[in-house]
Amino acid sequence: MPEIRRLPSALVNRIAAGEVVERPAAALKELVENAIDAGARRIGVTLVDGGLQRIEVVDDGCGMGPDSMALALERHATSKLPDSLIGPDGAIELVTTLGFRGEALPSIASVARLTVESREVAASEGWRRVVDHGAVLADEPAALPPGTRVRVEELFAKVPARRKFLRTARSEYAACLDVVRRLAMARPDIGFTLDTIGDAGKRTVLSLQAGEELVTRVARIIAHELKDNSVAIELERETPHGVMRLTGIAGLPTYNRGVADHQYLFVNGRPVKDRLLVGAVRGAYADMLARDRHAVLALFLDLPPQDVDVNVHPAKTEVRFRDSAGVRGFIVSGLRQALATGDRRSAQGPDRGAMARWVSEPVTPSAAPIAPALESIFSGRDWTAPQQRFGEARTAWDAPLAQPQGRAEEAAPLPEQAAQYPLGIARGQVANTYIVAESADGLVLVDQHAAHERLVLERLRAAGAAETNRRSQALLVPDVVELDEVDCDRLEDAAEGLARYGLVIERFGPAAMLVRAVPAAIAKADSAKLLRDLADDIAKHGNQEDSGALLLAERLELVLATMACHGSVRAGRTLSVAEMNALLREMEATPRSGQCNHGRPTWVKLSMEDVEKLFGRH
């Protein structure tokens, strides 16, 4: 019979490290949380090779003495759990600190070289303790200012089975940067700095001052333009144990991203990645965003500790709510209420009853020639000459009262060949966004942006095969686009493939890209927004060397769809009737024109029978 025995303490620590410290970002999270719980007002982080070689965290908190430092490196020893919460009558769920298990430091020390230096405010000298993969190498006095300095070097250097699963220095750095951003966002009262050391030397990535307003801190971390494209969240609700409060800022539906990594969620000051909260955000924006777009926001949910369990995951990234349905409803209603206030910049969802009357019909191919007016949409030139205006010399008192004016032209009878045009003849434009057309058997409504987006994509595809010498248009003055460093890395890796489709970019410093040329078909596109969405696409679908699931050509097809979105005629642009008809004719001659590049319909149709039903004429 196999003998049951206790595992060696060193092995126990390594097993615990597998739950808490699976990569440099996890170790960094534990160290920064310790600094926050120590009452620090300033926290400095230094990374060498993305944290693979060294992680250093310096704070000005309360510090530790020699005895406390020795205890801190023992398992299940912590200062974050008060005596009142220990014992048979204790309520451990009432803990409010970020960490209290007492496993982080000994776990890190078992798989790396850990140096802890600390000095209490009232002490005359500090103390240093060095542990190398579980073995104590030094325990001695040290000279340093009040506070604590922790260094983690050569993580998993003596655990090759773990080391080989770590990613590249660039990928590990991106994960560490995300950790610092989230913790800094949760505590605007604390100053944060993040320095990175690599082949190019030392560089400061983040420098955040203590005492910033929440909105200012969030906008500095996510994007500066978020401050002008968001609404404030401030909502409270009574619970049996106290008050549940939701604060933060939420981006407008029109300010969205292609991936969901710009959603920052916090519960009682703790950064979390909880499925319930993510689902609540998705539900709140359900009628305002396309399926492939994601909201940008930072939400802070504060509720009584009795109503939430933060101890269900070793890394505490998941939580469990006592009333999960109530929390979800509170977040959804709070977001919807905020998005519907102010200057009403968020759109309301369409009425389901009305939309149920519209049906999509297939588009039949047509060999109709493309009208010259369509070229004005691609080129931006006005195809029709302005009408001459008479009587402008009339005096103000002779002029009649101003009457509402429209752009409607004289309604000519449908031509005999109308049956050959499934999308009908343009009759006008609504809200400078939707083309209203009359077909032989009904009424057609076309989303001009979605429709033209598909046409631009097909043109880009054709240009890639037949216009090899005219794909790219050089910019007279190259555009400098500032982005996150991680996004710049992704675009730099994909630059060669993008150049084959006419987009020529290059690195311009740590956090900027230089746009030298763009595809001729989208020469008027917004370079900054284009590069942001391209970086999101690459992040979402993975790099070739990482995933291996998408061939280069397939990933560039996804990139082309994003480029087409930026090169298409925007909602809000006034089109002439000739331009509208030209757009309809090319839609009829273009494959897959019934849906845009994101899966949404480009046009819907209401039959004449349904129109008559609406007016009770059936």
Side-chain angles (χ1 to χ4, degrees), residues 591-610:
R592 298 177 296 277
S593 64
Q595 65 179 29
C596 76
N597 309 331
H598 307 294
R600 299 185 298 273
T602 59
W603 62 276
V604 289
K605 189 172 186 178
L606 191 65
S607 68
M608 290 306 301
E609 180 181 0
D610 286 336

Side-chain angles (χ1 to χ4, degrees), residues 7 47 64 110 118 182 237 239 249 263 310 352 411 420 432 488 527 599 617:
L7 294 175
L47 301 174
M64 296 180 289
S110 69
S118 188
R182 292 179 185 273
R237 178 179 296 178
T239 71
I249 60 175
Q263 295 179 2
V310 299
R352 296 184 182 274
Q420 302 175 11
N432 287 347
C488 291
S527 299
R617 297 173 63 93

Side-chain angles (χ1 to χ4, degrees), residues 124-337:
S124 58
E125 64 178 3
W127 199 262
R128 175 190 296 114
R129 191 176 180 90
V130 181
V131 183
D132 187 3
H133 290 78
V136 179
L137 300 184
D139 192 19
E140 59 193 9
L144 72 158
T148 302
R149 179 190 297 120
V150 182
R151 285 196 303 274
V152 178
E153 299 172 285
E154 299 178 352
L155 186 64
F156 298 133
K158 297 183 180 179
V159 190
R162 283 285 185 78
R163 182 79 179 188
K164 69 179 182 181
F165 283 102
L166 295 179
R167 299 186 179 183
T168 63
R170 181 178 293 180
S171 296
E172 298 298 343
Y173 161 72
C176 290
L177 176 61
D178 183 66
V179 165
V180 177
R181 279 177 164 174
R182 292 179 185 273
L183 291 171
M185 199 178 298
R187 295 298 300 267
D189 58 313
I190 300 177
F192 283 84
T193 60
L194 172 61
D195 297 325
T196 178
I197 301 176
D199 296 337
K202 185 176 181 179
R203 183 168 51 84
T204 299
V205 180
L206 284 179
S207 181
L208 304 172
Q209 300 301 316
E212 292 180 320
E213 293 184 355
L214 177 62
V215 175
T216 302
R217 173 65 65 91
V218 170
R220 288 190 63 187
I221 292 176
I222 298 180
H224 291 290
E225 59 268 22
L226 177 61
K227 198 171 184 178
D228 299 324
N229 292 275
S230 61
V231 292
I233 309 291
E234 186 71 39
L235 195 67
E236 290 185 357
R237 178 179 296 178
E238 292 289 337
T239 71
H241 299 99
V243 177
M244 179 165 55
R245 181 180 295 105
L246 182 67
T247 58
I249 60 175
L252 296 173
T254 52
Y255 184 79
N256 52 65
R257 299 298 295 264
V259 291
D261 59 357
H262 289 76
Q263 295 179 2
Y264 297 85
L265 307 173
F266 304 86
V267 175
N268 289 349
R270 186 189 306 274
V272 297
K273 297 180 180 180
D274 188 77
R275 287 179 295 178
L276 184 142
L277 301 181
V278 172
V281 171
R282 189 184 306 114
Y285 281 86
D287 297 332
M288 309 176 197
L289 285 178
R291 290 173 297 177
D292 59 340
R293 308 300 296 179
H294 301 273
V296 178
L297 48 77
L299 294 183
F300 299 82
L301 179 66
D302 294 289
L303 68 168
Q306 298 94 329
D307 293 336
V308 59
D309 185 0
V310 299
N311 200 32
V312 298
H313 189 277
K316 299 181 180 63
T317 57
E318 299 177 8
V319 295
R320 181 179 297 134
F321 298 101
R322 183 184 298 272
D323 181 13
S324 57
V327 170
R328 187 185 191 282
F330 178 62
I331 294 175
V332 172
S333 61
L335 279 173
R336 286 186 174 274
Q337 177 180 329

